[in-house]
Amino acid sequence: MPRLTMAGGFAVASILMNPAFAEEEKQTWRLFVADHTAPIARSFDLMTGEQIGEFRLKGYAALAASSSGQTIFAIQSEADTVQMIKSGVALSDHGEHRDLETSEPALLPTALDGKRPVHAVMHGDDVVLFYDREGKAKLVSEEGILEGKPSEKLIDATAPHHGVAVPMGRNMLVSVPDTTQETKADELPPRLGLRVLGESGAQVGDFAPCTALHGEAFSAKLVAFGCEEGVLIARPGKEQTVQLKMLEYGDKLPKGKVTTLLGSKAMQFFLGNYGEDKIVLIDPDSTEPHRLVDLPTRRIDFALDPARVKNAYVLTEDGQLHLVDILSGEITTSTAVTEPYSKDGHWRDPRPRLAVAGDQIAITDPRHSLVRVIDIATMKKVRAIPVEGQPFSVVAVGGSGAVH
């Protein structure tokens, strides 16, 4: 009997010490979808299509997910506010494995008010929200937001304009408006370039020209900005300095410019739009940094795959979804996912948007009140999720991890 007791005790100790017996690997993905005109956002379980949350907002919203995916920012330009939604998905790194915790999504009680918020820049725990009609940005901590104690640090961008502020180490990269020209009451001045603000808020170094600055993205430690002349690259220098370099379009590219940028997380490169019917691959360290990819029709939306680093996805107005190989610069697969959505008409007309969610791509179809789900391996439609109203802006958060 003692021998049997010892064996049983050893077995219990082994189970307690061996994580394989105490945890299970799971994957979860959630979609957050905002309506085109109604002040509402909804969340869905991607695997089941079940709606798991509905959030009444102050105005119609564009959605942006934080770097961690724990917070969704509902940016409401017309309502002069940014509200936050807790996604209910938390992934934490434990070296040899990741933990996954899930809870109910919820609209957080705090709002970040200001005149015409448009840009939200996510970088680690930092979130920077730019308010066009104030010419100021707010730097907030995601951790503080989730704890219900969001401290705000104001960043002065000198005057109201459609601008942006991006953190880089102890510095802040801030757009510069042209205040020398008179503008109408309902208009904002154009952007001239970029300046670097140090920890004290004072300008460090020279102003960098970047006409009509629009669009920004991180890739590794670099930040890229779209300009009339080219793509402006900011990289950290020695002793907390910032180095700025313009990658000019040059004579080899047709007339056009970059106004939207995406940055790769795994490799150091950027993907941008270029005119209506092209995208451009940008390698900051190449002798020829810009490589164009022609599209069959005008572009509606595009995305990079964070896990499959050579994959980019482009949705065009003919309703086709294209898989672009970043390494070759070629479209390798095209598939019809929606009926055509013309780009003629108002820029804010309801058109599809896409988000990458693990092994699938979610595409809103506002005309038919659906989110269409595409399998990446086959590039085929696998199901459609009904959504009330006109589903428009969409973000996906999730991943896999150990559930204890």
Side-chain angles (χ1 to χ4, degrees):
M1 180 68 88
R3 188 179 304 168
L4 192 61
T5 303
M6 286 178 62
F10 179 75
V12 171
S14 297
I15 289 171
L16 291 175
M17 289 187 294
N18 188 341
F21 290 98
E23 63 193 29
E24 132 184 53
E25 188 79 11
K26 283 194 174 182
Q27 180 174 205
T28 188
W29 283 94
R30 289 178 177 178
L31 299 179
F32 290 80
V33 183
D35 193 89
H36 180 260
T37 52
I40 192 167
R42 298 178 175 90
S43 59
F44 298 85
D45 183 300
L46 178 63
M47 305 304 174
T48 65
E50 177 189 1
Q51 181 174 310
I52 54 176
E54 185 170 291
F55 316 103
R56 297 285 171 175
L57 307 174
K58 296 178 182 177
Y60 66 81
L63 302 182
S66 65
S67 297
S68 73
Q70 294 186 69
T71 313
I72 310 299
F73 290 79
I75 305 156
Q76 301 158 62
S77 300
E78 302 302 322
D80 293 335
T81 191
V82 179
Q83 291 175 273
M84 285 77 70
I85 301 167
K86 185 186 76 170
S87 73
V89 178
L91 288 160
S92 53
D93 184 23
H94 291 273
E96 76 285 353
H97 74 282
R98 288 195 304 179
D99 280 356
L100 169 66
E101 295 181 24
T102 57
S103 58
E104 291 295 316
L107 183 65
L108 298 174
T110 306
L112 299 168
D113 297 333
K115 294 180 181 178
R116 195 169 177 77
V118 177
H119 275 302
V121 174
M122 317 294 178
H123 187 54
D125 186 57
D126 289 336
V127 181
V128 185
L129 304 165
F130 198 95
Y131 296 83
D132 286 3
R133 290 286 176 187
E134 295 184 6
K136 290 182 171 58
K138 291 179 181 179
L139 171 65
V140 295
S141 157
E142 182 186 22
E143 183 180 5
I145 288 169
L146 292 171
E147 291 176 352
K149 304 170 184 176
S151 60
E152 303 174 14
K153 179 181 178 181
L154 275 181
I155 300 152
D156 188 0
T158 68
H161 66 286
H162 183 47
V164 69
V166 179
M168 177 171 275
R170 298 175 187 170
N171 301 301
M172 190 68 64
L173 314 177
V174 184
S175 54
V176 177
D178 183 356
T179 56
T180 61
Q181 301 179 24
E182 289 188 14
T183 55
K184 297 178 182 178
D186 60 340
E187 293 180 353
L188 292 169
R191 285 83 63 202
L192 290 178
L194 191 79
R195 64 189 182 126
V196 180
L197 304 183
E199 206 168 3
S200 66
Q203 182 170 327
V204 178
D206 296 331
F207 153 84
C210 174
T211 309
L213 184 154
H214 196 282
E216 83 294 322
F218 279 94
S219 180
K221 293 184 178 180
L222 307 188
V223 186
F225 300 87
C227 318
E228 292 272 7
E229 305 89 346
V231 175
L232 182 65
I233 300 294
R235 67 177 75 221
K238 296 179 180 179
E239 299 178 357
Q240 292 293 326
T241 59
V242 176
Q243 297 176 349
L244 298 170
K245 180 182 179 181
M246 179 67 75
L247 304 178
E248 295 182 353
Y249 301 133
D251 299 333
K252 293 183 179 179
L253 298 187
K255 185 175 175 58
K257 63 179 179 178
V258 171
T259 59
T260 302
L261 282 159
L262 305 173
S264 172
K265 293 181 172 61
M267 294 193 299
Q268 191 168 274
F269 75 89
F270 299 91
L271 180 66
N273 65 337
Y274 196 85
E276 294 277 9
D277 60 356
K278 297 175 181 63
I279 56 172
V280 59
L281 309 173
I282 303 157
D283 181 352
D285 296 320
S286 173
T287 53
E288 294 191 6
H290 306 293
R291 186 162 45 135
L292 289 184
V293 178
D294 285 304
L295 304 172
T297 57
R298 293 178 292 184
R299 181 200 66 261
I300 296 288
D301 197 15
F302 64 113
L304 283 171
D305 193 319
R308 301 161 185 82
V309 294
K310 69 173 188 175
N311 282 13
Y313 311 104
V314 186
L315 183 67
T316 49
E317 63 179 347
D318 57 1
Q320 296 272 327
L321 178 67
H322 308 281
L323 169 59
V324 179
D325 186 315
I326 294 297
L327 300 181
S328 67
E330 299 290 334
I331 295 175
T332 59
T333 309
S334 299
T335 185
V337 293
T338 70
E339 61 189 47
Y341 275 84
S342 173
K343 287 198 75 174
D344 292 331
H346 196 276
W347 67 270
R348 222 196 145 264
D349 287 344
R351 300 182 182 94
R353 294 291 182 267
L354 61 87
V356 181
D359 297 329
Q360 298 177 328
I361 302 168
I363 302 174
T364 56
D365 191 345
R367 193 178 291 157
H368 294 284
S369 301
L370 294 172
V371 173
R372 301 188 184 273
V373 182
I374 312 301
D375 178 73
I376 291 174
T378 63
M379 289 293 283
K380 302 292 185 185
K381 288 183 279 190
V382 291
R383 63 185 175 282
I385 301 172
V387 181
E388 289 182 48
Q390 293 182 306
F392 184 53
S393 180
V394 58
V395 295
V397 297
S400 62
V403 178
H404 295 276

